[in-house]
Amino acid sequence: MAKIVYQRPKSLKEAVFHYCPGCGHSIVHRIIAEVIDELGIRGITIGVPPAGCAVLAYNYFDVDMIEAPHGRGPAMASAIKRSLPDRVVFSYQGDGDLAAIGIAESFHAANRGENITIIFINNAVYGMTGGQMAPTTMLEQKTTTSPLGRNNKLDGYPVKVSEIFSQLQGVTYLERCMVNSPANVNKTKKAIKKAFQCQINGHGFSLIEILSPCPTNWKMNAVNSCKWIDEVMSKVFPPGVFKDDIPAATKTAEVDS
Amino acid sequence: MNKVLMSGNFIICEAAIRAGCRFYAGYPITPQNEIPEYMAEHMRKAEGGIFIQSESEIVAINMIAGASAAGLRAMTSSSSPGISLKQEGISSMAACELPGVVVNIMRGGPGLGNIRPSQGDYFQATRGGGHGDYRTIVLAPATCQELADLTMAAFDLADKYRNPVMILADGMMGQMMEPVTFKKPKPRIYNKKFMLQGAGSGKSKFIRGLILDPIDMEEHNWKLARKYEVISKKEPRHEEYNINNAKMIIVAYGTAARIAKGAIKRLQNNGMNIGLFRPVTLWPFPEQQLRSLSAKVKNYLVFEMSTGQMLEDIRLALQGYADIRFHGRPGGAVPTPAELANVIARIYERTVK
């Protein structure tokens, strides 16, 4: 009998992603769904999709979801988690959603140490609206609202969310990952699993920043987009674990299991 | 239940907690700071009660939306400038059909205005306030007893129609003390199928306001409109005072109606027959009830602590069947009953006699 080595996660609906070819959202959706399956938490998970490309995430995740107004995901997720402390609550946000219009919501949810998980997709550009400058757009990077490249004197600097948020006492686990190669996708999945586990164990706020390709708005093909993450983006936004305050005892237990 | 002496803002909190509200989020702003202060202590003492001092008004309203979706009775409060910030969330809750109670202890505006009692937010409250085609039920208490009763009613109405409900009071109502009796709240009727608590082993669901297909969105708008139609028929509330034999009727709500009542009593002693029509629901506006009065009484004076906002609803209700005058004190100015009596007497002399 043939052995199944790869199949659609149960927490992902039978729907075709609307995302552009080469977009990182579909990869991240899939690995979140895999993690939900592996942890067996489909029935107790509540997701909060953002305004942005991932606004239709509820068409793909087979878990309860409530759409938040632009940037307000962490406010909603905080309230849901406080109301239903035994559920697993995650907010899924883009760079505009988290680091521009919703910076207060994200910052203070983190600072309160809300026991939620934020999945933060950083693609250095506003995707859904057609490629405008994001808070994470890098210096010199061309977008439709920085046509000559981001100019620090006029447009300021890219916001380094992981570096900033790791300073907050309320944050328990914070890692920056990439989804531009199979190895990095696996690493990202591990990070997401760790973050969800951190929440399930009641250890508090976790955020996984994911450098994710946006070939359409970067005006590159999928392969070059992945290369660009390695060669350019990861130099400004270096991957790694920025904060890990998960108590040591649980860490060992996880390794054993 | 015995009578207790409490100030308006505390009464709202106590009534909310007794009505089963278990989630409050808010941000300090005068003249409603007693609400988050009372909630910080008493909501956290209530079984399962959650209090969060949010980082902004926008966050507070979105927390209310989240808690409401999770199945809790939830409330936020603010004063005029803060209510402007909440409009995004109120619109979103109306779109997603999430119940919730929003308290507006109005102050002088526009802009930062001042911290004195005012009624300048009538348009914002009764016309939805945020973007899109929606309505919020608006309750306007005029006594501390009503603050308690209408706060409890607000939660019932919010659940019944799955819509945000606003308590529209002002700094005067929030700060004044009167004896109050807290009535027994009605048991909550709210279907679990509207709550988002995790799919369990069943089908997952989602709550959303974004409906990209225009035909589906149009149908959603009509669905909401049909609901508002039912509310307009079933829920208008008003109070009539001294209407029999009245030659003139004052139309006023909230604090303005209290002042008007004082003025009417004074003028009665001088032989002037003046009645009071006080809308208790500002949306739905009790227009049929007001219009039916116009068969008997032809002179109306609208008094508001604004430059004339409810006035437009009164013109629409009376449809030219009666003479309508207006007196307003905007920007935080609050006249005494004696001062208002002088104004009413002048108009009464000119129009009635």
Side-chain angles (χ1 to χ4, degrees):
Chain A
M1 211 180 114
K3 192 181 159 209
I4 296 170
V5 290
Y6 194 77
Q7 63 182 343
R8 178 178 286 274
K10 287 198 176 61
S11 304
L12 217 50
K13 290 178 183 168
E14 294 275 346
V16 178
F17 288 125
H18 73 283
Y19 300 114
C20 305
C23 169
H25 276 304
S26 18
I27 301 170
V28 179
H29 281 22
R30 188 191 158 94
I31 55 180
I32 291 174
E34 285 179 3
V35 166
I36 291 172
D37 282 1
E38 286 167 23
L39 294 171
I41 53 170
R42 181 211 164 248
I44 56 163
T45 298
I46 300 172
V48 184
C53 286
V55 67
L56 299 173
Y58 49 71
N59 286 340
Y60 310 122
F61 285 106
D62 189 22
V63 300
D64 274 8
M65 298 202 109
I66 177 166
E67 157 208 295
H70 200 15
R72 318 301 174 218
M76 239 179 207
S78 299
I80 294 169
K81 183 72 184 186
R82 297 271 193 123
S83 304
L84 303 164
D86 56 351
R87 304 302 196 276
V88 178
V89 182
F90 75 95
S91 160
Y92 187 103
Q93 300 175 256
D95 38 46
D97 196 84
L98 187 142
I101 200 164
I103 187 75
E105 283 77 359
S106 310
F107 185 95
H108 287 277
N111 192 52
R112 283 192 305 269
E114 297 287 351
N115 190 24
I116 59 171
T117 302
I118 292 182
I119 307 296
F120 166 40
I121 305 296
N122 178 1
N123 57 18
V125 78
Y126 280 78
M128 191 192 219
T129 46
Q132 295 82 8
M133 182 176 65
T136 49
T137 293
M138 291 162 291
L139 294 178
E140 316 282 309
Q141 186 186 339
K142 285 182 182 168
T143 69
T144 59
T145 50
S146 57
L148 303 175
R150 185 173 193 161
N151 175 335
N152 64 320
K153 293 218 167 63
L154 300 172
D155 311 316
Y157 296 87
V159 175
K160 299 181 177 181
V161 169
S162 289
E163 282 81 349
I164 295 165
F165 277 47
S166 61
Q167 303 301 310
L168 296 173
Q169 280 178 279
V171 174
T172 305
Y173 190 75
L174 201 164
E175 182 170 348
R176 184 185 281 136
C177 308
M178 316 191 277
V179 284
N180 62 339
S181 71
N184 284 336
V185 170
N186 282 337
K187 240 188 210 172
T188 306
K189 185 180 160 186
K190 270 193 194 124
I192 291 171
K193 195 169 183 179
K194 199 166 179 186
F196 275 54
Q197 196 73 58
C198 166
Q199 180 182 163
I200 292 165
N201 292 338
H203 294 313
F205 186 89
S206 51
L207 187 151
I208 307 300
E209 174 174 354
I210 301 165
L211 306 186
S212 172
C214 181
T216 302
N217 289 304
W218 292 354
K219 315 219 182 307
M220 287 175 206
N221 65 31
V223 175
N224 286 340
S225 296
C226 290
K227 270 191 204 149
W228 195 68
I229 290 182
D230 270 335
E231 290 163 10
V232 182
M233 215 179 158
S234 61
K235 302 289 180 277
V236 179
F237 301 107
V241 176
F242 283 78
K243 195 165 185 196
D244 183 356
D245 280 356
I246 298 171
T250 34
K251 269 187 223 164
T252 337
E254 273 163 38
V255 173
D256 291 344
S257 64
Chain B
M1 180 68 207
N2 293 334
K3 273 195 173 178
V4 286
L5 185 67
M6 281 177 99
S7 72
N9 283 333
F10 289 159
I11 291 168
I12 294 171
C13 299
E14 189 54 38
I17 294 171
R18 283 168 190 253
C21 175
R22 285 299 176 269
F23 191 101
Y24 172 90
Y27 185 91
I29 178 172
T30 309
Q32 64 83 55
N33 294 314
E34 294 80 6
I35 297 180
E37 285 169 1
Y38 191 96
M39 286 304 199
E41 185 180 349
H42 296 271
M43 182 57 90
R44 281 181 176 168
K45 276 186 195 161
E47 197 192 338
I50 300 155
F51 164 86
I52 301 180
Q53 179 168 332
S54 58
E55 59 272 27
S56 74
E57 303 287 4
I58 300 171
V59 167
I61 189 73
N62 282 289
M63 284 182 165
I64 296 312
S68 170
L72 299 193
R73 279 192 156 176
M75 182 174 103
T76 183
S77 65
S78 189
S79 180
S80 309
I83 297 294
S84 295
L85 286 169
K86 289 191 200 294
Q87 294 301 337
E88 171 198 69
I90 297 173
S91 163
S92 172
M93 287 173 78
C96 297
E97 297 194 85
L98 291 171
V101 174
V102 180
V103 180
N104 182 0
I105 304 295
M106 286 183 283
R107 60 189 237 178
L112 281 181
N114 60 26
I115 57 171
R116 300 277 301 146
S118 193
Q119 295 184 324
D121 303 351
Y122 181 93
F123 281 153
Q124 186 194 51
T126 58
R127 269 63 179 167
H131 63 281
D133 228 337
Y134 78 96
R135 299 285 185 164
T136 41
I137 298 172
V138 184
L139 306 175
T143 62
C144 282
Q145 184 59 52
E146 248 185 7
L147 278 176
D149 297 346
L150 292 180
T151 299
M152 288 186 177
F155 285 97
D156 295 335
L157 287 167
D159 284 343
K160 185 175 175 185
Y161 294 107
R162 294 200 289 132
N163 205 66
V165 175
M166 181 174 282
I167 309 269
L168 192 71
D170 58 55
M172 186 78 88
M173 292 298 311
Q175 302 292 331
M176 82 163 112
M177 280 179 119
E178 272 180 339
V180 62
T181 307
F182 292 102
K183 292 171 186 151
K184 196 167 175 258
K186 292 180 192 155
R188 186 183 193 196
I189 304 167
Y190 192 67
N191 197 322
K192 228 181 145 121
K193 74 176 179 192
F194 300 125
M195 300 176 187
L196 198 75
Q197 301 186 322
S201 52
K203 238 184 123 209
S204 65
K205 52 186 178 222
F206 52 80
I207 297 175
R208 61 166 181 176
L210 181 91
I211 302 170
L212 290 174
D213 185 303
I215 300 302
D216 292 347
M217 193 67 212
E218 184 186 21
E219 180 40 38
H220 184 58
N221 270 266
W222 286 122
K223 181 190 158 204
L224 294 177
R226 288 192 291 273
K227 176 168 83 175
Y228 302 145
E229 194 63 39
V230 172
I231 299 172
S232 301
K233 284 207 177 81
K234 284 191 167 171
E235 303 299 343
R237 298 185 194 193
H238 75 289
E239 187 207 5
E240 289 177 6
Y241 169 75
N242 207 32
I243 291 285
N244 294 333
N245 305 320
K247 297 257 184 337
M248 181 186 207
I249 287 175
I250 314 291
V251 190
Y253 72 94
T255 296
R258 291 178 71 104
I259 301 167
K261 223 178 222 182
I264 289 167
K265 281 179 189 158
R266 276 179 167 73
L267 295 170
Q268 245 170 349
N269 301 335
N270 298 339
M272 295 185 207
N273 276 328
I274 300 163
L276 173 71
F277 184 92
R278 177 173 72 89
V280 174
T281 52
L282 300 182
W283 192 87
F285 188 80
E287 57 172 354
Q288 296 293 345
Q289 293 78 356
L290 181 61
R291 191 174 306 142
S292 65
L293 282 181
S294 67
K296 287 193 298 185
V297 186
K298 296 293 179 194
N299 294 294
Y300 293 80
L301 171 64
V302 183
F303 168 54
E304 291 178 76
M305 283 145 60
S306 77
T307 54
Q309 298 190 13
M310 184 173 69
L311 177 62
E312 293 191 2
D313 282 337
I314 290 153
R315 284 180 181 145
L316 286 167
L318 294 176
Q319 295 179 341
Y321 292 130
D323 181 74
I324 304 166
R325 306 291 166 111
F326 175 74
H327 181 67
R329 293 296 306 273
V334 184
T336 61
E339 186 187 322
L340 184 64
N342 283 337
V343 174
I344 298 172
R346 268 204 313 277
I347 295 171
Y348 189 90
E349 297 292 336
R350 273 208 303 270
T351 55
V352 175
K353 286 187 178 168

